Amino acid sequence: MEKIKIKVEVSWTDDNFCCAWNDEDAGTVIVTARTLEKLKKDFNESLRIHIEGCVKDGDILPEYLVKGEFEPEYILDTAALLRDAEEYTTMAAISRASGINQKQLSHYASGIKHPRPTQIERIKAGLHRIGSQLLALS
């Protein structure tokens, strides 16, 4: 049986990744962590504990949650995407690959400014370009 995707919004706040998931029936789970990897791990654990607590309290939850038939789908905002990419590359490299000024990228990464959809696509394409080049190394 195919698992239901639950969308988890990930953002960058101050010096941490932050994610939130909300379900009308199950409530809200919010997690922060220094790295995206830890955020995902902590979110999965927090959600599991939240579901177990709700069931123990007699709350009625969607069956897919109770049975664990779901899979988180992490949706990163631009700041979170750039902050995560910094673990593998530099803003200078992302600037060259995307054609977006490095200072502008830094504003996006810090949340000072928010890019238009076309800029977001340029950033993603630049990151894909960097990834493709790294994969091509032998």
Side-chain angles (χ1 to χ4, degrees):
M1 183 170 162
E2 189 172 319
K3 292 186 175 192
I4 293 177
K5 299 265 189 200
I6 60 169
K7 294 185 186 294
V8 181
E9 304 286 332
V10 179
S11 59
W12 178 260
T13 57
D14 295 324
D15 292 328
N16 288 303
F17 289 94
C18 176
C19 74
W21 173 78
N22 182 40
D23 181 84
E24 192 173 291
D25 298 314
T28 303
V29 176
I30 299 173
V31 176
T32 64
R34 191 76 185 110
T35 66
L36 185 58
E37 182 179 326
K38 178 143 177 44
L39 179 91
K40 289 177 179 181
K41 180 180 179 245
D42 290 354
F43 175 79
N44 289 334
E45 180 69 9
S46 295
L47 182 57
R48 184 187 61 75
I49 291 168
H50 178 75
I51 292 168
E52 286 175 1
C54 288
V55 169
K56 185 177 177 183
D57 290 346
D59 297 337
I60 298 172
L61 298 178
E63 196 67 24
Y64 74 91
L65 287 175
V66 176
K67 290 184 174 182
E69 296 172 346
F70 62 89
E71 183 177 337
E73 179 182 359
Y74 296 95
I75 314 292
L76 280 67
D77 72 5
T78 306
L81 179 66
L82 288 168
R83 293 298 180 175
D84 184 49
E86 281 183 315
E87 185 175 345
Y88 310 103
T89 189
T90 64
M91 285 294 172
I94 298 169
S95 175
R96 287 189 300 274
S98 67
I100 298 172
N101 179 288
Q102 187 174 343
K103 187 171 183 172
Q104 188 70 30
L105 287 172
S106 294
H107 287 296
Y108 295 155
S110 65
I112 293 171
K113 294 189 177 186
H114 301 284
R116 296 182 317 271
T118 54
Q119 293 291 80
I120 294 169
E121 291 309 312
R122 287 176 64 189
I123 292 167
K124 288 179 181 178
L127 290 171
H128 283 264
R129 196 171 300 116
I130 292 168
S132 296
Q133 290 172 343
L134 290 173
L135 288 171
L137 296 174
S138 55

